[in-house]
Amino acid sequence: MPFISENTRTLEMDYNFRFRYETLRSLLNKNCSALQIMSDLEADLNHIHYYDERIKRSIRRLLTDILMMAQELNLLAKNRHSDLYETIFKLRKHTDRLFKKKQPVADQPLAVLLGRLGKNPDPELIGGKAFGLHMLNELFKGRVPPGFVITTVAYNRLLEKNNLGDRIRILLTNLDVTADRDQFKSRTQTIRRWIRDAIVPMEIETAIREHADSISKKYPDTLWAIRSSSVFEDGIHSFAGQFDTELNIRPENFVTAYKHVLAGKFTDRAVNYRIHKNIREIDTPMAVLFMPMVDPVAAGVIYTSQLNGLASDTMVINSVPGLAAKMVQGEEPADIFHVSKEDCPKLLKTRMASRTKAGQKTVDYIEPEKLLEIAGLAIQMEKKFGFNMDIEWAVDKNETVHFLQARRLNTGLSEDETDDILKRAKDAPPTLEGGITIFPGRAEGPVIFLRSDSDISKVPDGAVVLAEQPKTEYASLLSKIAALLVMEGNPVGHLATIVREFSVPCIFGLGKNLEILAGKNIISVNATQRTVYTGIRWPGIRKSVLARIASKNCHEKSGPLYDLVLKLNLTDPDAPSFKAKSCKSIHDTVRFIHEMSVRSMFGFGDDQKRRSNKKSRKLKTGLPIKFQLIDLDQSIAKGPNTVEPQDVASLPFKALWRGISDKNMAWPDRWKNELAGMPADFREAVLGGNRGPRRASDRNYAIVAADYINLNARLAYHYLMVDAMVGQGTENNYVHFRFRGGGGGDENRARRARFLESVLRQIGFGVDRRGDLVTAWLRRYSRKDSENSLEIIGRLMVCARQLDAVLKNDADVKRYANYFLKEKYEIFS
Amino acid sequence: MRILEKLKIITYREPGIRDFCIQTIRFRTLLENARALLALVEDGNEKVIGEYILDRHYVTSLIDDVVARLGMMVYDACVLAPEYGKLFYMQHDRHKRRAAELNSQEKTSGKKNTAGDAAVSSDPEYELLSDVLTWLNGEASEPGATVIDFMKQVFVHVIKKLDANNDSKIGLLIKNNVSKTVDCNMFLIDLWEDAIALPARPHSLEDINSIPLKLLLMDVQGGNLSPMAGDKARAVTWIAALSEYRLSLRTMEPGCNFHLETTVSGHERSDFIFIFADPSINTENILPPGFHTEITDHGQLAWKLDATPKAIEDSLISIGRHLS
Amino acid sequence: MEEQKLRIMVIDDENIVGKRLKPALEKTGDIVETFEEGKTALSRFDEEPFDIVVTDIRMEKINGIEILERILSKSSRTKVIIITGYATVEVAREALSKGAFDFIAKPFKPDDLRAIIARASKELRS
């Protein structure tokens, strides 16, 4: 043998034990690495297509790693889990099948003329708005102004040439608008700035100029409108008002305006919208429409169906003199006309805007015949497309009707509560009545009145929001409120459109009387009937409101890869279904292997006698917390079955314990029971009596070595894990932390998770938060920093339980995170 | 192509196949860890030339990364060749101790002023890096004393163990299936169980979905593949474990051990060719230029890393041609 | 048009950085001043703002983000380039969102930094 024989200085370790230790370490390392790869994958899938080579490579890497992990587990557990191999090979087969699918397209143009889109233009090339216009143009030749589209190919090229893809990805990963509003705003602002400062590749500039020139011949001296046409836009998701439109642009300013429109993709509203709907950046590249402007005498919007869900034989036209822009932003009131929905439409009702002079019977800038002409064309359009439509129109000086935009109208399904309503007809009269239904339905909740200077981040979930004007920024609230009541506003406009998408019961135009409700605590709203009542009127409504909000915020991430790779199905290690065969995804497999390896280390289920040398020992402490310790390299002084914290010669353990046992942390008495490992009744129910704890998940345990700790704890219904390596004099340390909040409702758990995220980020951790699961990592920091972070985690462990009592709404998250960081722990008791 | 007639597929229904595949993948993992180790050494070498602005943290990270990576490699080796485990760990611990010494080395400046060597200035960071590189790949005072030398020893032991497994289930299976009428046999096993769906009788190279095997066989003239040339050439049985981008090819003849591992995925950082050959084999006749070679008592190691995909592909075609 | 000389400030508490960067960056004729301490660097900046500031992100006494913020508040046109000891994404994120122009990770070659400085100076002139 070519090896030098060593003498006394080597630690005389039993080889088998050493091998088990190294196997466990290898497993735990691979576990961390797998979790990291999966977390990166999830973020990447937002920006890269699933069939991309990089994704394929990551997944193959994952599969190889878990195969090795399975082998290691079987080495540890005497081949008891050989059925894992079958599962893993199957996963490889299924993922391979996935990758054989879609491949990206060949060379596509940077720009296309609207009139030259061919029979079947690709909406992914030209975006939703342009696609809609193309369809309109096919139907009504000559009514859609000419124009051209700078395609999504150009968008992607601009990002690539300016190295923006990665930078944007870095800023947008793990972003949540409600968590830290300032940070959110500052990041989106940075991205917009980058885009506005970007250098537009020469070929794109040329494409813009050439296409514009070919149109300008017919429209000399015209100003242009430049509008976003994003993929997904104007389809099922309206993105209404999310992006910018630049009007009155001169050709010499095209490039700047183009960039401004692109920057609009990253307004707070737009980013928030995509995050909430789980729409990925990679799926929504932006094309841009360039159209010479019509100089209108009148313009507006027509809906081919009225919106209170009850009468759909009426169409609604909203109109203003001149350009419609301000009307659509909600800044200018419109004249409203109701028209019958038939082949020869008739004018039914007129409601004039407040700007008209008193006594005026008709509007002076557009004739009724013209309105009916518009209505007639709209009916044709609806018949052709097959669904209700929202169409933007304009009439020019020559009395020609033009169409500028058309999209599907989201009328919402009305809830059929007519019986119920009739029954209550004799009850107390409504506190407030009137206005216009924007979206029907019933809701109830606490009142919040938003003034112009109100902080919208303070709005609690399930509130009924009252406002003076329909500001588009309220869009970010829609996913979590019960209902919206607004003094002014008309049914067109961006906020209205988004309200419909989020299906929030809503009434506009209630007038100054809305103030009556300001002082109320709880109100009940019937947006279908346009009535508002004080107090709780319909039992059971609150529950369905909260359910709607919860489900809205739970947009399932989907895609072929999620189910096979990222989705975690095996969440409960104590369930009988926790088996290798039940692993449906890579994530399941990783979870399973991790749990089993820890159990194996403890020898649960094994003949205890064989483990006599290396059994676990109980940590002796006055605190109401129980820990079993396993010693990997004799870092725990030899002795009886119990051990004191000071006798554990493990650097990371000591640091963690300093935090847990910090005298400044308060431990309420009620904890004593819960922290003893498990609630007693739970133990009974699961284990069936006298066999004693059989699973690792029953206890809090820690595996320690001189420079290492792997700790798993179940405190009440929280589950947390700490895996850390902190060595003497080395600078290549790491601290990994995982927390899953058990108790409380979804809102509580999410808030607890956000609190942890906020604190951990501020002390330097990288954090991934998914619902109530927080994964955090701190790598390659100095020994001192790593130890400090472990102390803080120790304190967080103690704090976690108390968070429910203090985190009442989203603004509390930031506040209490600051308290914690400033060491004001007494606040938490 | 006559070589196609020699290909025989072994399915997973045969006993021992799955374990064989897992061990093959484990050996792959060992190679990948070794590669990462080589990359670390190369990175250190590149930095020490002196043009970089680096900090002490870089050097200590390098030390820790090496120790970690070495540990991973040693672990893989213990899984594959447990009988050498104790020795592997003893040597590994020795390197860990040396690493700890280097890590705690005091910051000194101007200590070693190599005469006339102004480029490697007296910055303490660079001095430490120099010391580290000596530990990694300096003169080996005894076998295994430098990290790279230790790595080579580990390789050799593991490969010998793998070859000794010829008496195991897989070896017996092969031996029982060897056709007496055919003078060369190549047994094909899908590493990931039907993932690449090998046809029962490949009619042409296109039927084989494993890129590296296709490349290897592309230029094969006759129907025989053998690492021995001339009059020493004899009928050799091969076993090939494959996947879409990977090939693990070995002879099953004692005394004529030839082992080829390769990944051809088009991704420069993952692609490589690794070869081990018995001392009795003349690798100069087989390998095209561009391979890094190392001679040990027990055999020759050769590898090609960080090459363009085309270079790897061409090498494989060339090797195939020379083997036939 | 004659190119103006750039005034570049380098801040890093590790001696080797300033020692090697100064001659390397001065090759193009720019004016380079190096500092091993944040406080002294900032006082010098107060006297006379610099076009470009290259600063380490993690130093003993004062951290690079703080320096970034103070410099930008003093002179919003100054381009600040962050040196990270290892390319951690979290750090990059924070720096970029607070207005840093770009970042570079150690170990790096002075030429790589010069390329970033060249880009920065192009923006300064536009």
Side-chain angles (χ1 to χ4, degrees):
Chain A
M1 284 301 130
F3 291 109
I4 304 287
S5 66
E6 272 299 315
N7 44 28
T8 50
R9 296 212 310 182
T10 319
L11 269 171
E12 260 309 312
M13 246 196 248
D14 178 34
Y15 173 72
N16 285 330
F17 185 69
R18 173 73 182 265
F19 185 70
R20 282 176 72 78
Y21 164 52
E22 298 288 351
T23 303
L24 184 66
R25 288 289 296 271
S26 177
L27 264 167
L28 294 171
N29 270 340
K30 288 203 185 68
N31 183 54
C32 276
S33 153
L35 291 175
Q36 182 63 52
I37 295 179
M38 289 192 290
S39 166
D40 288 345
L41 252 181
E42 179 142 18
D44 283 346
L45 281 171
N46 245 333
H47 300 265
I48 310 176
H49 290 287
Y50 75 84
Y51 47 74
D52 189 292
E53 265 308 303
R54 289 169 282 182
I55 304 279
K56 187 171 169 182
R57 217 175 293 130
S58 285
I59 291 180
R60 291 228 168 130
R61 158 97 274 134
L62 258 181
L63 283 162
T64 304
D65 283 354
I66 64 176
L67 186 67
M68 294 294 95
M69 280 170 81
Q71 185 186 36
E72 286 158 24
L73 173 63
N74 280 310
L75 283 169
L76 214 50
K78 297 188 195 317
N79 257 336
R80 243 180 309 163
H81 302 286
S82 47
D83 49 356
L84 263 176
Y85 298 129
E86 180 80 39
T87 308
I88 296 172
F89 280 78
K90 267 210 199 108
L91 282 170
R92 163 91 185 206
K93 208 187 301 196
H94 291 317
T95 50
D96 272 355
R97 237 181 257 150
L98 257 188
F99 292 127
K100 289 203 173 94
K101 293 188 180 175
K102 187 177 173 183
Q103 291 304 311
V105 260
D107 267 316
Q108 298 252 31
L110 293 171
V112 255
L113 284 172
L114 267 183
R116 299 251 182 89
L117 288 172
K119 283 268 174 234
N120 287 315
D122 183 2
E124 285 191 23
L125 180 68
I126 59 177
K129 195 172 287 170
F131 186 79
L133 280 177
H134 163 81
M135 306 284 271
L136 268 187
N137 205 24
E138 294 286 292
L139 252 192
F140 302 108
K141 295 250 186 291
R143 291 203 188 275
V144 176
F148 63 93
V149 184
I150 299 297
T151 64
T152 53
V153 173
Y155 172 78
N156 286 326
R157 186 158 319 168
L158 184 137
L159 287 191
E160 193 194 316
K161 286 273 157 79
N162 286 278
N163 195 22
L164 282 172
D166 269 340
R167 287 197 281 166
I168 291 178
R169 181 162 67 92
I170 288 177
L171 284 197
L172 288 185
T173 305
N174 282 338
L175 200 55
D176 183 339
V177 64
T178 47
D180 186 335
R181 204 163 169 72
D182 294 329
Q183 192 184 60
F184 179 81
K185 281 168 108 73
S186 122
R187 292 209 192 157
T188 52
Q189 192 176 49
T190 303
I191 297 176
R192 291 195 296 277
R193 181 168 47 87
W194 284 341
I195 294 180
R196 286 196 294 269
D197 293 346
I199 299 174
V200 177
M202 199 34 70
E203 59 269 30
I204 297 179
E205 254 190 76
T206 310
I208 294 177
R209 206 171 4 96
E210 284 175 359
H211 284 71
D213 285 346
S214 73
I215 294 174
S216 291
K217 293 196 190 88
K218 284 205 198 121
Y219 296 79
D221 299 329
T222 318
L223 297 175
W224 289 65
I226 301 181
R227 316 175 106 175
S228 68
S229 176
S230 197
V231 175
F232 266 141
E233 191 183 328
D234 291 354
I236 300 168
H237 303 283
S238 74
F239 288 94
Q242 309 281 1
F243 305 131
D244 281 348
T245 299
E246 299 275 312
L247 296 176
N248 300 318
I249 305 294
R250 271 189 249 282
E252 54 262 31
N253 295 326
F254 273 172
V255 171
T256 312
Y258 173 63
K259 288 195 285 182
H260 274 273
V261 170
L262 288 187
K265 185 178 187 237
F266 295 96
T267 57
D268 293 355
R269 298 192 299 271
V271 175
N272 177 37
Y273 186 90
R274 288 195 290 277
I275 291 176
H276 266 287
K277 296 254 173 177
N278 261 338
I279 292 172
R280 309 182 314 174
E281 293 296 327
I282 186 72
D283 290 331
T284 53
M286 187 190 274
V288 176
L289 259 173
F290 287 68
M291 288 169 70
M293 288 175 67
V294 173
D295 193 9
V297 294
V301 173
I302 174 169
Y303 291 161
T304 61
S305 173
Q306 202 182 14
L307 291 166
N308 65 8
L310 294 174
S312 60
D313 53 2
T314 311
M315 300 195 289
V316 180
I317 306 182
N318 289 262
S319 167
V320 290
L323 292 169
K326 288 218 179 77
M327 172 188 82
V328 168
Q329 313 264 35
E331 289 164 28
E332 191 181 339
D335 300 308
I336 302 178
F337 305 91
H338 288 205
V339 174
S340 65
K341 194 165 172 176
E342 46 188 345
D343 286 333
C344 288
K346 296 186 191 47
L347 187 58
L348 301 173
K349 197 166 88 173
T350 303
R351 188 175 130 139
M352 296 199 286
S354 45
R355 78 179 119 74
T356 47
K357 303 187 201 61
Q360 201 172 330
K361 288 261 169 13
T362 56
V363 296
D364 51 6
Y365 58 90
I366 186 167
E367 299 294 318
E369 292 80 36
K370 198 47 75 174
L371 289 167
L372 297 176
E373 184 190 335
I374 294 170
L377 290 167
I379 291 174
Q380 282 183 47
M381 217 185 284
E382 185 189 283
K383 281 202 184 126
K384 194 76 183 189
F385 285 111
F387 39 72
N388 287 318
M389 304 209 63
D390 160 355
I391 305 159
E392 200 177 318
W393 55 268
V395 178
D396 68 15
K397 293 189 184 55
N398 301 327
E399 308 248 331
T400 314
V401 174
H402 296 271
F403 291 117
L404 304 176
Q405 190 170 303
R407 58 184 173 217
R408 191 185 184 129
L409 180 65
N410 208 343
T411 53
L413 299 163
S414 71
E415 291 158 35
D416 192 3
E417 314 123 28
T418 29
D419 289 348
D420 208 38
I421 291 164
L422 289 170
K423 268 189 224 146
R424 287 178 177 277
K426 292 192 189 130
D427 285 356
T431 313
L432 188 59
E433 265 193 283
I436 308 172
T437 303
I438 302 298
F439 194 84
R442 288 185 293 170
E444 140 210 324
V447 172
I448 294 277
F449 209 125
L450 288 183
R451 310 282 173 188
S452 50
D453 56 353
S454 298
D455 181 358
I456 68 174
S457 75
K458 288 210 160 61
V459 175
D461 288 5
V464 174
V465 171
L466 277 48
E468 293 167 348
Q469 284 178 324
K471 287 198 197 167
T472 331
E473 67 165 322
Y474 298 156
S476 60
L477 294 171
L478 292 175
S479 60
K480 61 180 201 171
I481 59 174
L484 177 67
L485 305 175
V486 188
M487 278 188 198
E488 295 175 12
N490 51 54
V492 300
H494 299 311
L495 187 63
T497 314
I498 303 172
V499 161
R500 276 175 231 128
E501 265 191 60
F502 278 92
S503 310
V504 177
C506 174
I507 310 174
F508 279 10
L510 282 162
K512 294 253 182 284
N513 287 335
L514 195 61
E515 287 286 354
I516 302 173
L517 299 173
K520 309 287 178 206
N521 289 329
I522 303 217
I523 56 176
S524 303
V525 175
N526 185 330
T528 317
Q529 295 286 308
R530 293 180 292 284
T531 51
V532 183
Y533 301 83
T534 311
I536 300 173
R537 186 163 167 89
W538 312 288
I541 282 291
R542 177 104 186 116
K543 207 162 151 206
S544 63
V545 164
L546 291 175
R548 166 174 52 84
I549 290 173
S551 74
K552 278 275 165 301
N553 288 329
C554 225
H555 291 279
E556 273 288 300
K557 285 213 171 173
S558 65
L561 268 183
Y562 284 103
D563 292 341
L564 273 180
V565 181
L566 300 170
K567 187 151 179 240
L568 184 63
N569 305 295
L570 252 57
T571 47
D572 185 1
D574 297 309
S577 56
F578 198 81
K579 290 198 290 252
K581 289 199 181 65
S582 319
C583 294
K584 294 203 186 61
S585 68
I586 291 182
H587 199 167
D588 287 339
T589 316
V590 170
R591 177 87 181 83
F592 179 80
I593 293 177
H594 180 240
E595 176 69 25
M596 290 303 146
S597 17
V598 171
R599 285 191 202 182
S600 184
M601 201 63 201
F602 274 84
F604 285 127
D606 239 5
D607 183 355
Q608 288 288 348
K609 286 187 208 144
R610 286 202 219 133
R611 309 252 162 258
S612 55
N613 287 343
K614 315 284 180 253
K615 71 177 173 215
S616 60
R617 288 148 78 181
K618 191 166 139 179
L619 184 70
K620 191 170 168 190
T621 165
L623 294 175
I625 188 167
K626 274 194 189 161
F627 269 103
Q628 294 289 121
L629 297 181
I630 268 207
D631 175 18
L632 286 179
D633 63 355
Q634 290 148 17
S635 290
I636 305 179
K638 288 207 192 307
N641 291 345
T642 62
V643 59
E644 309 248 355
Q646 62 258 32
D647 294 331
V648 180
S650 158
L651 273 180
F653 173 84
K654 280 194 183 316
L656 193 68
W657 190 254
R658 278 199 295 275
I660 293 175
S661 57
D662 189 332
K663 293 204 171 31
N664 294 322
M665 312 295 307
W667 291 64
D669 282 332
R670 64 188 151 92
W671 285 37
K672 292 208 166 83
N673 293 331
E674 291 168 352
L675 288 171
M678 233 180 24
D681 49 9
F682 186 61
R683 188 185 282 139
E684 278 301 315
V686 172
L687 304 173
N690 52 10
R691 291 246 251 153
R694 300 207 63 213
R695 289 165 244 252
S697 51
D698 298 352
R699 293 196 193 175
N700 306 325
Y701 60 83
I703 300 166
V704 296
D707 58 357
Y708 178 73
I709 186 171
N710 180 280
L711 176 144
N712 282 259
R714 206 142 176 211
L715 306 176
Y717 293 97
H718 309 309
Y719 158 72
L720 62 86
M721 184 214 76
V722 177
D723 185 282
M725 171 117 113
V726 180
Q728 292 270 18
T730 67
E731 286 184 333
N732 190 12
N733 303 315
Y734 69 82
V735 178
H736 291 154
F737 175 62
R738 266 200 132 191
F739 180 95
R740 173 164 245 148
D746 285 336
E747 297 169 26
N748 281 351
R749 289 152 76 144
R751 260 184 227 126
R752 200 182 298 126
R754 287 208 294 270
F755 168 86
L756 287 172
E757 179 181 14
S758 178
V759 170
L760 290 166
R761 274 195 201 278
Q762 290 189 65
I763 58 178
F765 276 78
V767 181
D768 173 71
R769 176 177 58 82
R770 221 165 290 184
D772 67 353
L773 173 64
V774 176
T775 309
W777 55 93
L778 189 82
R779 295 197 190 109
R780 297 171 164 265
Y781 276 61
S782 68
R783 172 186 154 182
K784 193 152 101 30
D785 286 342
S786 306
E787 284 180 312
N788 280 343
S789 71
L790 280 167
E791 270 186 53
I792 293 179
I793 288 183
R795 290 192 204 104
L796 278 175
M797 280 168 63
V798 177
C799 251
R801 188 64 181 88
Q802 290 149 312
L803 293 174
D804 291 346
V806 299
L807 296 180
K808 293 261 187 323
N809 60 45
D810 294 336
D812 284 337
V813 170
K814 191 172 175 184
R815 206 149 50 97
Y816 280 86
N818 285 334
Y819 285 144
F820 183 88
L821 290 162
K822 294 201 168 76
E823 299 183 16
K824 294 202 168 81
Y825 306 124
E826 61 281 359
I827 288 237
F828 290 89
S829 49
Chain B
M1 286 186 91
R2 283 175 46 210
I3 189 73
L4 290 174
E5 293 161 25
K6 312 284 179 77
L7 301 179
K8 273 203 188 64
I9 314 248
I10 301 188
T11 68
Y12 264 68
R13 276 167 252 130
E14 303 282 1
I17 293 293
R18 179 169 274 167
D19 287 338
F20 172 75
C21 288
I22 294 177
Q23 289 296 68
T24 305
I25 294 177
R26 175 65 67 175
F27 183 66
R28 258 327 163 88
T29 311
L30 185 149
L31 283 181
E32 279 166 14
N33 284 328
R35 181 191 190 151
L37 204 52
L38 288 173
L40 287 168
V41 175
E42 194 187 309
D43 193 65
N45 276 325
E46 198 204 333
K47 302 292 191 284
V48 84
I49 297 174
E51 287 171 27
Y52 279 84
I53 291 178
L54 53 88
D55 53 0
R56 191 189 155 79
H57 179 96
Y58 167 76
V59 187
T60 55
S61 299
L62 182 65
I63 296 173
D64 292 335
D65 283 345
V66 164
V67 170
R69 204 42 95 156
L70 193 60
M72 285 159 75
M73 210 186 98
V74 165
Y75 179 76
D76 291 332
C78 289
V79 171
L80 291 165
E83 39 283 279
Y84 298 118
K86 208 160 181 176
L87 290 161
F88 287 155
Y89 274 122
M90 254 168 42
Q91 194 68 326
H92 174 54
D93 287 345
R94 195 171 163 221
H95 283 290
K96 264 167 90 166
R97 277 196 298 280
R98 176 71 189 126
E101 274 168 34
L102 284 165
N103 249 326
S104 52
Q105 199 161 300
E106 284 299 310
K107 283 187 187 187
T108 53
S109 54
K111 198 177 71 163
K112 293 181 196 169
N113 249 324
T114 341
D117 201 340
V120 182
S121 64
S122 58
D123 290 311
E125 294 89 349
Y126 273 89
E127 279 173 19
L128 182 59
L129 183 55
S130 229
D131 290 343
V132 167
L133 287 168
T134 308
W135 162 57
L136 290 179
N137 202 11
E139 278 290 314
S141 52
E142 53 205 357
T146 64
V147 170
I148 294 291
D149 204 61
F150 176 41
M151 198 179 90
K152 287 195 288 198
Q153 303 295 330
V154 168
F155 263 149
V156 165
H157 280 80
V158 168
I159 292 181
K160 290 204 98 49
K161 175 66 199 293
L162 286 178
D163 290 337
N165 281 344
N166 289 346
D167 284 337
S168 67
K169 272 193 196 143
I170 191 95
L172 288 170
L173 178 68
I174 302 276
K175 287 200 169 68
N176 289 342
N177 269 293
V178 164
S179 164
K180 297 285 187 282
T181 56
V182 183
D183 42 326
C184 162
N185 292 272
M186 187 181 286
F187 290 89
L188 306 185
I189 298 175
D190 183 333
L191 265 178
W192 282 97
E193 187 184 328
D194 301 331
I196 63 167
L198 294 164
R201 288 228 162 279
H203 294 292
S204 79
L205 271 186
E206 285 315 304
D207 288 339
I208 300 175
N209 294 343
S210 166
I211 296 175
L213 184 63
K214 251 201 286 224
L215 290 168
L216 192 78
L217 297 181
M218 200 174 274
D219 235 9
V220 167
Q221 308 297 345
N224 275 340
L225 278 186
S226 169
M228 306 292 250
D231 44 352
K232 291 214 192 102
R234 51 187 208 255
V236 163
T237 306
W238 298 86
I239 182 163
L242 332 157
S243 72
E244 189 184 349
Y245 297 141
R246 292 181 177 180
L247 171 64
S248 171
L249 180 72
R250 310 219 297 262
T251 58
M252 301 287 288
E253 313 292 317
C256 175
N257 288 321
F258 186 84
H259 196 146
L260 175 109
E261 291 275 343
T262 177
T263 300
V264 187
S265 67
H267 183 229
E268 207 167 305
R269 293 225 310 252
S270 316
D271 291 353
F272 72 97
I273 302 177
F274 169 84
I275 288 175
F276 173 84
D278 233 28
S280 58
I281 297 176
N282 186 354
T283 51
E284 272 175 31
N285 291 344
I286 303 175
L287 297 180
F291 274 76
H292 175 105
T293 52
E294 300 265 349
I295 315 255
T296 73
D297 295 339
H298 301 271
Q300 307 152 73
L301 300 165
W303 57 81
K304 193 184 190 94
L305 310 169
D306 300 321
T308 62
K310 180 145 178 18
I312 302 267
E313 286 169 19
D314 288 343
S315 299
L316 275 175
I317 298 176
S318 163
I319 292 172
R321 202 181 322 126
H322 285 110
L323 282 174
S324 65
Chain C
M1 191 172 75
E2 210 192 70
E3 297 250 319
Q4 282 273 58
K5 284 197 211 296
L6 283 176
R7 288 169 47 76
I8 305 177
M9 175 184 275
V10 176
I11 314 174
D12 195 310
D13 58 359
E14 289 191 326
N15 175 265
I16 184 179
V17 178
K19 199 166 111 184
R20 288 182 180 235
L21 267 186
K22 190 162 150 80
L25 295 179
E26 278 175 339
K27 276 195 199 144
T28 45
D30 296 317
I31 302 167
V32 180
E33 287 186 34
T34 66
F35 297 86
E36 283 180 37
E37 224 229 307
K39 234 170 136 189
T40 346
L42 286 171
S43 338
R44 176 78 182 103
F45 196 88
D46 284 345
E47 287 172 24
E48 217 186 322
F50 284 66
D51 301 309
I52 312 259
V53 173
V54 182
T55 174
D56 195 322
I57 193 79
R58 276 164 60 81
M59 294 187 277
E60 293 281 311
K61 297 189 188 145
I62 179 174
N63 82 45
I65 296 282
E66 225 182 296
I67 293 187
L68 165 68
E69 286 171 334
R70 300 235 247 154
I71 287 180
L72 287 181
S73 67
K74 269 244 153 256
S75 158
S76 62
R77 72 180 278 283
T78 300
K79 300 288 180 207
V80 181
I81 299 169
I82 304 280
I83 300 178
T84 65
Y86 33 83
T88 52
V89 172
E90 296 82 34
V91 164
R93 224 183 269 166
E94 204 191 345
L96 290 181
S97 71
K98 289 212 160 114
F101 176 73
D102 207 337
F103 67 93
I104 190 168
K106 276 183 200 162
F108 63 87
K109 284 194 171 148
D111 277 349
D112 297 333
L113 180 60
R114 267 214 289 215
I116 300 181
I117 291 178
R119 260 197 293 126
S121 99
K122 200 168 159 198
E123 273 202 30
L124 276 173
R125 293 187 224 285
S126 67

